[in-house]
């Protein structure tokens, strides 16, 4: 969100954690909505009313199918995760009738040189403006508690473990 807002885009955040709305706005969201699809029990529609010019999706599953069906003509989705499931229950209609693109984000097999170029950009020109709001230092003795919070879906941000005495 932070990167999109900094580039002048109207970034909309989707979350099931309603208590995080103010935090997401502080990171650049112009609007915060609930999880997609709005009705998780509804039958997926091959094409819905257009809503998004593009999207960054780290959920997958029904959320990704919903976003694909509501992209504007020529829109694209960068998909990077599958916490909502690996299955994609959709049709080719958004791809054929609206010319949308689904772009996979590989964080495993990308060669080291392109990674270094991206890291350099993220450290300088593309550095998130609100990075300090995402990072929480955690004592090594508290790691188990943080992991419990992550598993329960109550943790947001990045935990950086402090080790006494350093390395």
């Amino acid at each position: 969100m932070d990167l999109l807002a900094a580039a002048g885009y109207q970034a909309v955040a989707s979350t099931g954690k309603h208590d995080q709305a103010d935090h997401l706005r502080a990171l650049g969201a112009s609007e915060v909505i609930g999880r997609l699809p709005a009705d998780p029990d509804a039958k997926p529609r091959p094409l819905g009313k257009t809503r998004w010019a593009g999207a960054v999706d780290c959920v997958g599953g029904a959320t990704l199918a919903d976003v694909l069906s509501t992209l504007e003509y020529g829109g694209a989705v960068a998909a990077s995760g599958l916490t909502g499931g690996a299955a994609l229950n959709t049709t080719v209609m958004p791809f054929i009738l609206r010319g949308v693109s689904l772009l996979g984000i590989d964080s495993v097999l990308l060669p080291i040189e392109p990674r270094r170029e991206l890291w350099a950009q993220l450290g300088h020109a593309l550095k998130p403006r609100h990075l300090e709001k995402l990072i929480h230092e955690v004592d090594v003795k508290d790691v188990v508690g943080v992991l419990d919070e992550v598993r329960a879906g109550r943790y947001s941000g990045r935990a950086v473990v402090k080790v006494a005495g350093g390395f």
Side-chain angles (χ1 to χ4, degrees):
M1 239 171 330
D2 201 7
L3 295 174
L4 293 170
Y9 293 100
Q10 180 182 356
V12 177
S14 171
T15 183
K17 298 176 183 177
H18 303 292
D19 62 329
Q20 293 293 310
D22 290 338
H23 176 66
L24 293 168
R25 283 187 190 91
L27 294 175
S30 59
E31 181 181 355
V32 179
I33 62 172
R35 286 189 174 129
L36 295 173
D39 181 358
D41 297 323
K43 183 180 178 195
R45 299 180 64 184
L47 285 178
K49 181 179 177 186
T50 59
R51 183 167 186 188
W52 314 112
V56 176
D57 175 72
C58 58
V59 178
T63 298
L64 179 55
D66 184 79
V67 170
L68 285 167
S69 74
T70 55
L71 278 175
E72 295 176 359
Y73 184 84
V77 177
S80 64
L82 34 91
T83 59
L88 183 58
N89 185 10
T90 190
T91 70
V92 297
M93 291 176 76
F95 304 103
I96 294 172
L97 298 177
R98 291 193 181 147
V100 305
S101 298
L102 176 57
L103 311 168
I105 303 301
D106 170 29
S107 62
V108 178
L109 298 176
L110 185 67
I112 193 64
E113 285 310 314
R115 281 178 194 248
R116 286 185 175 134
E117 290 173 22
L118 288 170
W119 291 333
Q121 289 179 29
L122 286 169
H124 300 288
L126 293 178
K127 185 175 183 177
R129 299 174 299 170
H130 302 99
L131 196 55
E132 73 284 349
K133 294 179 183 179
L134 297 172
I135 298 173
H136 313 283
E137 284 194 358
V138 179
D139 286 324
V140 71
K141 66 180 176 48
D142 297 325
V143 168
V144 172
V146 170
L147 291 173
D148 290 341
E149 292 291 306
V150 169
R151 282 192 289 269
R154 294 187 300 261
Y155 192 87
S156 293
R158 174 79 48 157
V160 177
V161 181
K162 292 188 297 184
V163 179
F167 287 99

